[in-house]
Amino acid sequence: GPRSATARGSRRHGTPRYSATRMSTRAHGQRVLIIEDNEKNLKLARDLLRYHGFHTIEAPDAETGLRMASDSKPNIILMDIELPGMDGVTALERLRGDPAIAGIVVVAFTASVMPVDRDRFSRAGFAGIIVKPIDVAIFPRQVLAYCNDLAGDG
């Protein structure tokens, strides 16, 4: 869309605390599904995103996450890889197999960043990786960047 061009160019330098710059105008209305079984990680991600104007939906496991994706059609999914039951890579395969939700951007939300893992996630079809523990200063922007990539398609 027309907004994505302006959003891309305005990277502000050095905002140590996430409260320094709210992005609510740009993030407004973006729906983020967070699939994460660690309650602390989930809560931090949710609170940061909500603070910056995103809508969030949370799921503690892949099965619940896939159901929520079907119900609420989020713009983007942050998918933990090490989940109880079905893992994130398998969940992504399932999602891609369902035409109703196959087009949703899915980002690996993980602490595993070895090159071999990066290759595996990329081959599986993840749009990218957001590393845990999350960096509160840049996390909302990282998520927004994936949303902006979407805006460019329409």
Side-chain angles (χ1 to χ4, degrees):
R3 284 186 331 220
S4 57
T6 52
R8 201 172 291 266
S10 59
R11 178 144 288 177
R12 195 170 294 188
H13 293 292
T15 41
R17 289 187 319 283
Y18 69 86
S19 55
T21 352
R22 279 199 193 213
M23 303 182 309
S24 41
T25 47
R26 280 183 280 157
H28 187 68
Q30 296 285 358
R31 287 190 310 286
V32 183
L33 170 57
I34 308 164
I35 305 176
E36 163 67 83
D37 63 322
N38 177 306
E39 211 172 316
K40 232 182 255 167
N41 289 339
L42 181 66
K43 193 175 175 321
L44 179 60
R46 181 197 67 201
D47 292 351
L48 276 166
L49 292 175
R50 287 192 176 169
Y51 178 86
H52 284 285
F54 293 88
H55 294 299
T56 65
I57 315 142
E58 300 89 41
D61 58 66
E63 289 83 355
T64 309
L66 289 173
R67 217 168 33 247
M68 288 179 165
S70 286
D71 292 344
S72 59
K73 306 285 191 296
N75 300 93
I76 180 173
I77 298 174
L78 301 182
M79 175 93 74
D80 186 19
I81 303 298
E82 305 291 328
L83 289 161
M86 189 193 306
D87 77 340
V89 174
T90 308
L92 179 61
E93 285 164 9
R94 288 276 169 91
L95 182 127
R96 294 288 182 245
D98 179 342
I101 54 176
I104 298 172
V105 168
V106 185
V107 177
F109 188 38
T110 180
S112 332
V113 287
M114 303 284 289
V116 55
D117 290 322
R118 285 185 183 274
D119 287 350
R120 187 165 69 99
F121 301 152
S122 166
R123 274 201 311 277
F126 286 97
I129 299 175
I130 291 179
V131 179
K132 292 186 292 196
I134 61 182
D135 179 339
V136 296
I138 64 170
F139 175 69
R141 268 171 228 269
Q142 289 176 304
V143 176
L144 190 64
Y146 288 105
C147 296
N148 284 340
D149 288 345
L150 301 180
D153 293 341

